[in-house]
Amino acid sequence: MKLAVITNYDLHAMGGAEEYIDRLAMRWHQTGHQVTVFCRKPAPVPPTAPRPWQPEYPIQWIDRPWSTRFGLGKYVRLLKKFHQSSPIDLLLACDSYWPGFVAEQFHRKSHVPYVLCSQGSDIMDGSRFLKRTTTRKRIISALTHASGIACISSYMKARTEQLTTPQGVVRLIPNGWPDEWTSQTAVTPLISQPYLLCLGRMIESKGFQVVLDAYQKALPHTARWGLVLAGQGDYYSELVQRAIASGISVQQGNTWQQMPPPWIWFPSLITGTQKQSIVQHAEVGIIPSLRYEPQGIVTMEMLASSVPVIGSNIGGIPDIVHHEKNGWLFTPGSVKELSETLVKIASNSSIIPHVRENCFKSVKNYRWSMVADQYLAFFEEIWQQKKLFK
């Protein structure tokens, strides 16, 4: 197929949406499909968390819109011009606003089917886009008239159907984990002691502070574990200060220094084999989101590494974290529940090995290559429908 992808993301940045787009486009390109990604030009100042990105597929650079209300027509014209010279079979829009709105306008002019996939920020509970009358109407219209909608979790499916009754096919297709991260290819441990891991963007709504408080509250039961808090973001400095104030030994920087537990390590940004090692060798992963999490890629990566996950019972997390099977769920923001869970699993040496057995099995069908192939099957279904009703 001749596929195009349109996104407002800068694919140099480190994030789940960027990973999603790159992994899918790479797989489609490698399996012989023609793929062109329309994405934002690199920022003059590189992102604070750049990732290794060397795309083999063609890129069409686009400027950031001068206005997301009035300045989107140029992207419709760009797609139309591209389509005239290199016809597109199907367009994937990553997020309903603004890429989905542009895809809908392009579809009206070209009749090229489009599929939407929201990574969350546009339609999740509390979305700033839905609070504005114009953008809300555009989001609802884009969702309503899409040929297909790929939902990364049952939560995102429910949110879509709360907003509108889609005319197209709605399909649940979760995000994935790296094919190279198999249980047979574990990399060398960077940390020689058992530890808990919390990894993600350090903003207040991600709940890192809940992990800090619960870890401290659970001592001395959890004293054999260190705690790794990895990531960057506006909340980083405050988290470090809170950790120092706890009286627990704290270190920062990308190289872990040997020290007796309990300790807290802030390695900041981790990528590549360093990230793989830190994830794969954790005793337990923690996903403590306070907000409705669409469906975290980090959760997939932990489970794929046979690492049990303690996750907030909110958004898309319960889709993949099943209580007392491949992890545990707790009420978002509850330091008490999280600390009690830590004490429980620290006090019974058989719990983690028992739960660990189910982790990989629970996500084995969600390698990125498999997810990309699910999308291709979805696209083919939509394309066949278009031909049927022509």
Side-chain angles (χ1 to χ4, degrees), residues 362-377:
S362 67
V363 297
K364 66 178 182 179
N365 293 326
Y366 296 110
R367 299 181 187 183
W368 276 121
S369 61
M370 296 179 177
V371 172
D373 291 348
Q374 286 185 54
Y375 271 91
L376 288 174

Side-chain angles (χ1 to χ4, degrees), residues 303-333:
L303 292 173
S305 302
S306 295
V307 174
V309 174
I310 306 174
S312 295
N313 192 9
I314 193 170
I317 296 173
D319 272 16
I320 50 178
V321 178
H322 305 138
H323 190 63
E324 296 187 342
K325 293 181 179 178
N326 62 0
W328 302 266
L329 296 168
F330 72 100
T331 302

Side-chain angles (χ1 to χ4, degrees), residues 141-218:
S141 182
L143 291 169
T144 302
H145 299 106
S147 309
I149 301 174
C151 301
I152 60 177
S153 66
S154 58
Y155 164 68
M156 295 300 289
K157 183 174 183 289
R159 285 296 296 159
T160 297
E161 293 170 345
Q162 285 168 7
L163 290 169
T164 187
T165 300
Q167 296 176 3
V169 184
V170 179
R171 188 63 45 81
L172 187 63
I173 308 180
N175 285 329
W177 55 273
D179 289 68
E180 62 270 22
W181 284 32
T182 65
S183 56
Q184 290 76 35
T185 59
V187 295
T188 304
L190 297 179
I191 304 171
S192 60
Q193 300 168 0
Y195 58 92
L196 308 171
L197 172 63
C198 185
L199 168 65
R201 190 156 55 101
M202 289 190 172
I203 55 176
E204 190 170 2
S205 62
K206 288 292 189 178
F208 280 77
Q209 65 276 21
V210 177
V211 178
L212 268 177
D213 293 346
Y215 179 66
Q216 185 178 5
K217 185 179 178 66

Side-chain angles (χ1 to χ4, degrees), residues 211-365:
V211 178
L212 268 177
D213 293 346
Y215 179 66
Q216 185 178 5
K217 185 179 178 66
L219 294 175
H221 298 86
T222 56
R224 69 184 182 88
W225 288 327
L227 174 62
V228 178
L229 299 178
Q232 289 184 334
D234 297 339
Y235 208 49
Y236 177 86
S237 296
E238 183 167 336
L239 287 169
V240 171
Q241 292 307 311
R242 287 178 71 134
I244 292 171
S246 72
I248 300 170
S249 300
V250 174
Q251 58 177 294
Q252 300 178 65
N254 283 90
T255 304
W256 182 74
Q257 304 293 329
Q258 178 81 15
M259 65 170 65
W263 45 258
I264 303 170
W265 178 31
F266 290 87
S268 189
L269 173 66
I270 54 174
T271 60
T273 56
Q274 184 187 41
K275 176 184 177 182
Q276 187 177 356
S277 175
I278 289 175
V279 171
Q280 286 184 335
H281 296 288
E283 286 280 298
V284 175
I286 307 176
I287 307 294
S289 294
L290 303 177
R291 69 178 188 181
Y292 284 86
E293 194 72 32
Q295 194 264 328
I297 290 175
V298 170
T299 312
M300 283 283 191
E301 292 173 340
M302 290 175 173
L303 292 173
S305 302
S306 295
V307 174
V309 174
I310 306 174
S312 295
N313 192 9
I314 193 170
I317 296 173
D319 272 16
I320 50 178
V321 178
H322 305 138
H323 190 63
E324 296 187 342
K325 293 181 179 178
N326 62 0
W328 302 266
L329 296 168
F330 72 100
T331 302
S334 176
V335 173
K336 180 176 182 293
E337 283 188 31
L338 179 54
S339 63
E340 287 174 351
T341 301
L342 291 174
V343 170
K344 175 183 176 181
I345 62 180
S347 303
N348 187 335
S349 60
S350 66
I351 290 181
I352 291 179
H354 173 72
V355 173
R356 192 187 301 276
E357 291 178 0
N358 301 317
C359 294
F360 179 76
K361 289 186 289 186
S362 67
V363 297
K364 66 178 182 179
N365 293 326

Side-chain angles (χ1 to χ4, degrees), residues 1 3-7 11 17-39 51 53-59 92 94 368-369 371-373 375-376 379:
M1 296 184 75
L3 303 171
V5 181
I6 186 165
T7 178
L11 298 190
E18 293 84 1
E19 177 88 354
Y20 158 86
I21 295 165
D22 183 45
R23 290 281 183 170
L24 295 189
M26 186 67 73
R27 171 68 176 181
W28 298 336
H29 173 78
Q30 290 172 346
T31 52
H33 298 273
Q34 296 181 35
V35 186
T36 302
V37 176
F38 293 77
C39 64
R51 65 190 183 89
W53 181 50
Q54 296 179 323
E56 299 173 7
Y57 47 85
I59 298 291
L92 173 65
C94 300
W368 276 121
S369 61
V371 172
D373 291 348
Y375 271 91
L376 288 174
F379 295 163

